[in-house]
Amino acid sequence: MGKERVAVVGIGQTKHQATRGDVSVAGLVREAASRALADAQMTWTDIDAVVVGKAPDFFEGVMMPELLLADALGASGKPLFRVHTAGSVGGSTAIVASQLIQAGVHQKVLAVAFEKQSESEAMWALSLPIPFTPPLHAGAGGYFAPHIRSYIRRAGAPDHIGMLVALKDRQNGLKNPYAHLHEHDITFDSIKDSMMLWDPVRYAETCPSSDGACAVVLGSESVADAAASDGRQPAWVQGAAMRSEPTLSAERDTVLPLGGALCAADVYKQAGITDPRRDIDCAEIYVPFSWFEPMWLENLGFAEPGEGWKMVEDGVTAMDGDLPVNMSGGVLCTNPIGASGMLRFGEAAMQVRGQAGDHQVDGARRAMGHAYGGGSQFFAMWVVGSEKP
């Protein structure tokens, strides 16, 4: 028996900012979920099950928040499932929700992911070893900077590539009313002159700490067909996959992780994609530090190894390029960690539904959402399209 087709029929997100002091965690999650339900023209009574995703509990110091969120969401009595795959969790959560429909378990599932970084200390939560010991790898930037230096040496990439990515994404973010950062005065020189945090990562090439949430409503083929007949374009899930690999494996290539490449190959096979550069119209890629754009372009098969930075320099990934990347402004503009992956997936779905507003790519019919997490050992990706698979 084949899998049930599944599509995104509703998307909602909060306004992201450094501190959402006006709402609790429950209020933040409810805000995104309510908007997704409104977009799907549904209420909580229509939803069969809920899938919740967030980053590690110690980020906010609240153990198993999904237990209290059931009541807060108005989802009492419904099946509720939590997903946890570090920074990739937003993507993984959407995929788990889609699989509940593909397997024929449910018809309408709401997936929601969130993070309230203002109530946490992500810097120490992400530090190895534990806080108050020598912080050689303090924060995510301290961990990833050596990977970036390896990429630069291996690819022979010039220094300005990271600055070009940061400038592009921050300018894209100006078109997204939900983005955390709106830096109207940002320039190439202001990025170049910003403080060096973890060589070669400058302050202006780094993601912010955000409060926010994102939700998507997924429906079966009959649900999506009903939405389409009502004039609401579904985003059909044409391929979805997750992979992981051991963080500390001796043979691991942190510049081109095998798990990421295998995940992308699986998604492309499901979607019938043989040339991702040609077959995909735009992509939302998880780029918390600017140099990860060229690295992931290679890992995802958009460029040959050592060639990703040339796509950036040539403007291929700009809004008016052949392959627009991070149309929303990406993680460099908005980073509620637990929700960041779902924001990538949601933006891909918005693009093929034609509802991305000022950051809409003209004629986008197939888009990719990408998320990674942990020490870049968790990967989640999907390809969505305007056409039924």
Side-chain angles (χ1 to χ4, degrees):
M1 184 173 67
K3 294 187 296 187
E4 171 73 53
R5 291 187 177 95
V6 58
V8 178
V9 295
I11 305 168
Q13 61 182 291
T14 64
K15 175 70 179 79
H16 306 280
Q17 57 193 53
T19 303
R20 283 295 306 270
D22 57 317
V23 290
S24 63
V25 166
L28 196 69
V29 172
R30 192 163 52 237
E31 185 175 310
S34 297
R35 287 175 178 168
L37 287 170
D39 187 33
Q41 296 189 10
M42 295 183 191
T43 68
W44 278 109
T45 58
D46 298 312
I47 296 298
D48 301 323
V50 178
V51 184
V52 175
K54 74 174 293 296
D57 287 349
F58 53 80
F59 273 34
E60 287 145 345
V62 179
M63 292 294 293
M64 301 177 72
E66 64 274 16
L67 300 179
L68 67 90
L69 290 175
D71 285 345
L73 286 167
S76 298
K78 293 182 184 296
L80 188 147
F81 188 84
R82 172 163 175 201
V83 178
H84 167 36
T85 59
S88 71
V89 67
S92 304
T93 302
I95 290 175
V96 169
S98 72
Q99 290 173 339
L100 289 172
I101 295 171
Q102 289 174 327
V105 178
H106 299 296
Q107 293 287 308
K108 291 166 283 188
V109 179
L110 183 138
V112 60
F114 70 96
E115 199 75 53
K116 211 163 192 288
Q117 288 212 58
S118 66
E119 298 181 3
S120 67
E121 180 47 87
M123 175 69 176
W124 289 118
L126 290 167
S127 296
L128 294 174
I130 61 175
F132 312 118
T133 54
L136 184 61
H137 298 300
Y143 178 83
F144 289 120
H147 305 178
I148 294 170
R149 288 196 294 270
S150 294
Y151 172 75
I152 292 172
R153 283 196 297 269
R154 189 188 299 188
D159 294 341
H160 64 274
I161 298 302
M163 303 171 214
L164 291 177
V165 173
L167 181 62
K168 169 182 70 70
D169 284 6
R170 294 280 163 76
Q171 289 179 332
N172 287 351
L174 292 172
K175 303 173 183 175
N176 179 1
Y178 293 101
H180 173 178
L181 297 182
H182 286 107
E183 298 183 332
H184 294 275
D185 57 350
I186 195 164
T187 65
F188 179 87
D189 287 338
S190 70
I191 296 169
K192 182 180 179 182
D193 294 339
S194 65
M195 180 190 306
M196 184 67 78
L197 293 181
W198 305 276
D199 192 5
V201 181
R202 292 170 175 80
Y203 178 78
E205 298 173 282
T206 304
C207 58
S209 295
S210 310
D211 286 357
C214 182
V216 293
V217 176
L218 294 141
S220 63
E221 182 174 11
S222 61
V223 173
D225 283 343
S229 65
D230 194 35
R232 291 175 286 120
Q233 171 69 53
W236 294 96
V237 178
Q238 298 182 344
M242 295 182 280
R243 291 289 188 282
S244 62
E245 62 186 34
T247 315
L248 301 177
S249 175
E251 72 274 16
R252 185 164 181 258
D253 185 343
T254 56
V255 174
L256 283 171
L258 180 61
L262 293 176
C263 189
D266 189 359
V267 169
Y268 297 152
K269 182 178 180 181
Q270 293 176 44
I273 291 172
T274 56
D275 182 346
R277 173 86 178 267
R278 180 196 63 199
D279 297 339
I280 292 176
D281 297 317
C282 55
E284 276 280 313
I285 299 176
Y286 203 109
V287 177
F289 305 103
S290 59
W291 277 97
F292 270 95
E293 178 170 303
M295 291 168 66
W296 291 150
L297 287 171
E298 297 173 20
N299 195 229
L300 299 177
F302 291 115
E304 294 296 321
E307 302 289 320
W309 65 268
K310 296 178 182 176
M311 290 180 65
V312 175
E313 189 171 55
D314 293 342
V316 174
T317 59
M319 280 296 289
D320 58 355
D322 292 339
L323 179 71
V325 169
N326 292 342
M327 301 71 67
S328 72
V331 183
L332 282 176
C333 287
T334 305
N335 186 36
I337 299 174
S340 290
M342 191 173 290
L343 286 165
R344 312 281 73 73
F345 280 39
E347 174 70 19
M350 288 171 64
Q351 289 289 338
V352 299
R353 297 178 80 201
Q355 62 175 173
D358 290 342
H359 49 103
Q360 176 70 46
V361 174
D362 290 340
R365 301 183 63 81
R366 181 181 266 176
M368 182 180 199
H370 161 270
Y372 86 98
S376 66
Q377 85 268 29
F378 296 115
F379 299 92
M381 305 171 198
W382 77 6
V383 169
V384 290
S386 57
E387 301 296 328
K388 189 180 293 188

